[in-house]
Amino acid sequence: MAMTESTADGREIRGEATASALLAAARSVFAERGFRGASVREIARRAGAHPALLRYHFGATASLVEQAGRRAKRAGRDRVVAAGSGDGTLAEKARLAAHAYLDHLESEREFPRLVQRALLDGDDRILRVATDHLRPLLAGLLAAPGRSSLPRPIEELAVSVFGALVAPFLYGPLLSELLGRDVLSADSLARRREHLESLIGAAALLFSIPDPEPPP
């Protein structure tokens, strides 16, 4: 019997769903155990799929590692690029970028631990992905006419804001235990947004860094 279009579409949809489940499971296992400690069987088990489907969808394990990182990167890249390349002062763009990146982290909560694991394991595949993910934000901040570099206080502020963004996702269990609340709850993340607004606003007032004038 000939395959109908609906049957083919159904198989394609199921195939995409399986691939997505495998990638999500891979990110979770990689973040917990590192790339060397991850097993195909464990990834497949968490995805509810047969281990052979990993090779069917992704080929070599190296491809799965890179795609796990790139999928997380693509989820937030457009938000961060738009925030960093728009009009406005450095402080305004920093606020937008911080909110955009926090949106990304809320939807891809394992990405910071994935990058941390790559650092610990000395695996540069995910590090390349992370660098490509964050570089557009820096490029956006440098986009104003006449600007060839960021003022040093802004560089330090960028590091401080980045730390304030990723700390709850990297150290969630520890911080939750110390503070007596879930630092990744909706209420806690709303408080984190308010803190970031205050942090960036205070830094802008403290350093009084004007945006450079465009060349005549």
Side-chain angles (χ1 to χ4, degrees), residues 9-211:
D9 289 345
R11 288 183 180 179
E12 183 177 352
I13 292 171
R14 288 195 298 273
E16 291 175 355
T18 298
S20 294
L22 287 167
L23 279 174
R27 287 201 304 274
S28 177
V29 174
F30 290 154
E32 291 175 12
R33 304 183 182 180
F35 308 120
R36 296 183 181 90
S39 74
V40 169
R41 288 188 177 278
E42 177 62 14
I43 293 171
R45 185 190 67 78
R46 294 194 189 189
H50 193 280
L53 290 174
L54 271 170
R55 181 169 294 276
Y56 173 79
H57 284 287
F58 302 105
T61 305
S63 174
L64 177 62
V65 170
E66 292 194 16
Q67 289 196 49
R70 292 189 183 283
R71 187 180 181 91
K73 178 194 75 172
R74 286 195 300 268
R77 182 183 177 93
D78 290 345
R79 294 172 180 166
V80 175
V81 170
S85 59
D87 295 330
T89 65
L90 281 171
E92 290 167 345
K93 291 163 73 175
R95 287 190 183 96
L96 290 173
H99 285 299
Y101 198 67
L102 188 55
D103 288 341
H104 166 62
L105 292 177
E106 283 193 64
S107 61
E108 297 287 344
R109 297 188 175 203
E110 289 165 339
F111 189 62
R113 288 193 298 135
L114 196 64
V115 176
Q116 185 183 53
R117 273 291 181 182
L119 286 167
L120 292 173
D121 292 347
D123 192 311
D124 65 354
R125 289 169 292 185
I126 296 296
L127 297 183
R128 288 197 304 269
V129 170
T131 301
D132 291 345
H133 174 59
L134 294 171
R135 185 174 284 118
L137 175 57
L138 181 60
L141 292 174
L142 295 173
R147 182 183 295 147
S148 59
S149 63
L150 287 173
R152 182 161 296 176
I154 290 294
E155 286 186 353
E156 296 303 323
L157 175 60
V159 174
S160 297
V161 170
F162 183 71
L165 282 164
V166 302
F169 298 91
L170 283 177
Y171 305 110
L174 173 62
L175 292 175
S176 296
E177 178 68 22
L178 290 172
L179 299 176
R181 60 180 171 86
D182 181 2
V183 296
L184 294 180
S185 69
D187 180 63
S188 291
L189 290 175
R191 291 165 63 177
R192 178 113 307 243
R193 289 180 186 277
E194 293 176 1
H195 170 71
L196 289 166
E197 288 273 352
S198 300
L199 176 63
I200 295 169
L205 289 174
L206 177 64
F207 297 125
S208 299
I209 302 171
D211 285 319

